[in-house]
Amino acid sequence: HRDKKRDKEKVKEKEKAKEKERDQDKEKGRNWDRDKEKERERDKERNRDKDKEKDQEKERHKDRERVRDKDRDRDRDKEKNKKEKEKEKDREEVDQKKEKDDVMKEGEKDREKIKDKEGDKDRREKEKDKEKEKDEKKEKKEREREKERDDKKKKEKRSRTPPRSYSSSRRSRSSSR
């Protein structure tokens, strides 16, 4: 009788042990599922963090590009302004040179006008002098011609008087002796 009781108790214990084992297996399975789920959650979290990091990196990159673009635009604007200022400066210099040239040309024209006026006076005086010279030359020629005419007349008169005879000229010579 005791043996039977003992056997029943052993069977019960075995069943309990099996049930315990089954419960432990179930618990292990649940724990494993829970662990897997936790791991999946962790992976998701990690992926989310990575995505956030990537997004942040993209944003930083965009920011850097924006800053670079702004700098480039600013530099371009500076360069453009510099060139415009240089062009303006050049234009001003050209204008100043042109004004200077205009003033100089105006002065030159005035001087030329004055010279022309003086030149006109000089020319008039020179013309007067030339005319005087011409008149003087004409008068001189006229005088020379008159003189020549007078000389010719004298010669003609002389030639008209008959030549003295030899004896008479001798006489006059001897009488003077």
Side-chain angles (χ1 to χ4, degrees), residues 11-141:
V11 168
K12 271 186 181 176
E13 275 181 30
K14 274 184 184 177
E15 276 180 26
K16 272 186 181 175
K18 275 184 184 177
E19 206 173 303
K20 207 177 193 183
E21 211 173 286
R22 256 185 263 130
D23 284 349
Q24 281 178 348
D25 284 347
K26 278 183 182 176
E27 188 64 34
K28 274 183 185 175
R30 274 188 292 231
N31 283 344
W32 189 83
D33 285 347
R34 215 179 298 126
D35 287 349
K36 275 288 174 185
E37 190 60 36
K38 278 183 182 176
E39 203 168 308
R40 258 186 245 120
E41 279 299 316
R42 262 187 258 123
D43 285 348
K44 278 183 183 177
E45 193 67 34
R46 237 181 277 126
N47 286 339
R48 259 188 246 119
D49 287 350
K50 279 181 184 175
D51 288 349
K52 264 187 185 175
E53 191 102 357
K54 280 181 183 176
D55 288 349
Q56 286 176 347
E57 187 56 39
K58 279 183 183 175
E59 204 52 46
R60 281 196 292 271
H61 186 71
K62 280 182 182 175
D63 287 347
R64 281 195 296 267
E65 278 202 2
R66 266 188 236 115
V67 166
R68 209 177 313 130
D69 288 349
K70 277 183 182 176
D71 287 350
R72 195 181 319 120
D73 289 348
R74 190 179 58 238
D75 289 348
R76 200 179 304 130
D77 288 347
K78 276 184 182 177
E79 195 64 31
K80 196 175 179 183
N81 286 340
K82 194 177 180 184
K83 283 181 181 175
E84 283 181 14
K85 281 181 183 177
E86 285 176 8
K87 279 183 183 177
E88 186 63 32
K89 199 175 180 184
D90 290 348
R91 264 189 239 117
E92 284 177 14
E93 284 179 15
V94 167
D95 289 348
Q96 285 177 353
K97 281 184 181 177
K98 195 175 179 187
E99 270 184 46
K100 227 184 218 180
D101 288 350
D102 289 349
V103 167
M104 286 176 71
K105 282 180 184 174
E106 201 62 40
E108 194 114 336
K109 281 182 184 175
D110 290 347
R111 270 185 247 117
E112 281 179 19
K113 281 181 184 175
I114 292 170
K115 279 183 184 176
D116 286 349
K117 283 181 183 175
E118 289 174 1
D120 287 349
K121 284 180 185 174
D122 289 349
R123 246 181 268 121
R124 275 189 235 114
E125 285 177 23
K126 282 179 184 174
E127 284 174 13
K128 283 181 185 175
D129 289 348
K130 280 182 184 176
E131 281 191 32
K132 276 184 185 176
E133 280 181 37
K134 280 183 183 177
D135 289 348
E136 284 175 10
K137 281 182 182 177
K138 277 185 182 176
E139 283 179 28
K140 204 175 191 183
K141 278 185 182 178

